[in-house]
Structures are given as structure tokens and as C-alpha cells.
Amino acid sequence: WDETHFGKMGSYYINRTFFFDVHPPLGKMLIGLAGYLSGYDGTFPFQKPGDRYEQHNYVGMRGVRLCRLVSSCLAFLCLSIQLLELSKSLPAALLTAFILIFDTGCITLSQYILLDPILMFFLMGAVLSMVKCNSCADRPFSASWWFWLSLTGVSLAGAMGVKFVGLFVVLLVGLNTIYDLWDLLGNLSLSLVMFGKHLLARVLCLIVLPLALYMAMFAVHFAVLNRSGPGDGFFSSAFQSQLIGNNLHNVSVPE
């Protein structure tokens, strides 16, 4: 059922048809983009689970181009987190990666048009970036430190932009940041000015940057979906007047 739902959402993006959904737009936009780049024209109706795709080019959305691509990166991210930062043990890292590779759930999820592989990619990207940034704690404000801190913020925006369950990794990074700042505050050799720089850097990269990217996703969402669709009725008349094909299109609506 979920593939039917998210496949239809991808078709809406390709056809630029406005719709209403409970999830943030990033994952569905990526699914639509993968379908568009692979030649899918957005004409399959996705009416019920089990319908045959027949001549429709669904491969890009379903597996080869997107879901399977990001799923294949999960083992590498898991290996990097374990080997480079956490256990620092090659056998433990390989065991963890192989468990993920041969997990039936991950294999199944990577074969369909779903948000979960995309979500897991951003979740693990955020964790990897966080632990890599922690490893650069002895050289703060270096190029690598800024890179991993910024990439953490980008990954947080990505996780939140796919599903709201991404809040859990935001909580994880937030607790890690609070612990890090508390440790810096207790360092008597660190001046308050330098502590203020640390605080400002984290505010910029872990709050301002993710929020800006999250809002940018919705800006793209509303710019692409400019045609009337099944989600019109949830919004104001003024908004409906901007949608091509709506009964109120270009009608002067009072404030």
C-alpha cells in the first residue's frame, strides 16, 4: 500500500499537480526526480496495490536509481561509523555492516518506492557526521571540523525533510551538542569569548542551517506543484487562486 501512496506522490511532482500529505516533501520530491530522470512520465494511476506497471518505466523510482542506491550506502556508512569512530575494530565494523547487508527488512525496503531507505540514509549520515565532528574536537574551527559540523546540519535537515521521525536524530545530536558545550564550559583554560564562538558555530550549523534548508524544501515544493489537484480544499481561497486549473485561478480574492 505504501508504494502505491508514495508512487502516486512522485507522479504528482512529475505532473506538477498539487496534493496534501502528512509527510514533509523531500523524500517524495527525490522519488519524483528519480522517476523523471529515468524516463517515467507520471501517467501510471497507482490505484491499488498489486497493479502491474506494464509498459511504464517505474525502475528509476523503485530501485535502481534511488531507493536501492541509498540503501547500498547504508552498509558503508555503518562500517565508517563503527570502524573509524566508535569501536575502532575492523571485525566489529564488518560484522555490523554484514548484519545490515543481509537484513531481510532492509533488503525488502530497498526494492520498493518507499521513504524509509532515504530516511535511514540521512539518519546514518547525521550520526556519522556527528561522530566525525567529535573526532575533530582537538582542532576546532579547522576546515574538517567546519565540514563535518555543517554536514551534520545538512543531514538533520534531510532526515526531518523526509519524515518527522527524523526528530529522534535531531534529539540525539542535540544531546551530544549540550554535553559537548557543557564540557567546554567547564574547561577553565577556555575563555568565554572562545566558548561564545563554539556556541555560535553550533547555532549556525545545527539550527540555522537545517531550518533554512527545511524551509527551502517547502519553497521548491510549492514552486513545482503549481497545478490544481486533490489537496486544494485544505488551503485558503487565496492560495487556490494561484493554482492552474483551479476554479478560483486568477480570481481576485479579498484579503
Side-chain angles (χ1 to χ4, degrees):
W1 185 88
D2 278 350
E3 181 176 61
T4 302
H5 177 71
F6 295 119
K8 184 180 293 185
M9 302 298 106
S11 297
Y12 283 150
Y13 278 106
I14 293 174
N15 295 319
R16 308 193 68 174
T17 302
F18 188 79
F19 66 94
F20 178 80
D21 190 53
V22 295
H23 297 297
L26 178 60
K28 293 166 292 187
M29 284 196 295
L30 291 176
I31 289 173
L33 178 62
Y36 176 77
L37 293 178
S38 60
Y40 172 60
D41 57 6
T43 56
F44 187 73
F46 286 100
Q47 291 180 345
K48 64 181 186 298
D51 286 348
R52 294 186 178 276
Y53 288 105
E54 301 297 345
Q55 77 280 5
H56 295 278
N57 186 7
Y58 66 94
V59 176
M61 288 199 300
R62 179 180 257 194
V64 176
R65 292 291 180 86
L66 183 62
C67 292
R68 192 163 295 172
L69 175 63
V70 296
S71 294
S72 64
C73 296
L74 296 181
F76 171 75
L77 291 174
C78 186
L79 182 69
S80 301
I81 293 170
Q82 280 283 350
L83 178 62
L84 299 179
E85 303 304 329
L86 296 183
S87 68
K88 298 187 183 299
S89 167
L90 180 59
L94 289 174
L95 175 62
T96 308
F98 277 115
I99 288 174
L100 187 62
I101 289 172
F102 294 106
D103 180 76
T104 304
C106 289
I107 294 173
T108 303
L109 288 175
S110 66
Q111 296 178 356
Y112 297 101
I113 305 171
L114 299 172
L115 299 182
D116 303 88
I118 309 171
L119 173 66
M120 290 191 292
F121 174 79
F122 284 114
L123 290 176
M124 295 190 70
V127 175
L128 175 62
S129 302
M130 180 187 71
V131 296
K132 289 292 290 182
C133 184
N134 288 342
S135 70
C136 299
D138 57 337
R139 48 186 189 280
F141 306 109
S142 62
S144 58
W145 185 86
W146 278 111
F147 172 78
W148 289 113
L149 187 64
S150 301
L151 191 59
T152 304
V154 172
S155 299
L156 292 180
M160 276 295 298
V162 176
K163 275 188 175 182
F164 288 125
V165 74
L167 275 171
F168 285 104
V169 79
V170 174
L171 178 62
L172 173 66
V173 173
L175 291 174
N176 177 79
T177 303
I178 291 172
Y179 175 83
D180 189 28
L181 289 173
W182 181 256
D183 188 55
L184 290 172
L185 187 61
N187 185 354
L188 299 180
S189 64
L190 194 70
S191 67
L192 286 178
V193 174
M194 186 58 67
F195 175 79
K197 291 181 179 179
H198 276 278
L199 177 61
L200 181 61
R202 285 158 176 79
V203 169
L204 289 175
C205 293
L206 300 181
I207 298 178
V208 176
L209 177 60
L211 285 177
L213 292 175
Y214 187 74
M215 290 187 290
M217 296 171 198
F218 278 92
V220 174
H221 169 78
F222 287 115
V224 171
L225 303 182
N226 63 352
R227 298 181 182 276
S228 180
D232 296 13
F234 291 98
F235 292 84
S236 67
S237 300
F239 179 80
Q240 294 182 46
S241 68
Q242 303 173 31
L243 298 175
I244 300 172
N246 190 281
N247 292 331
L248 299 175
H249 184 233
N250 284 337
V251 173
S252 178
V253 179
E255 292 292 336

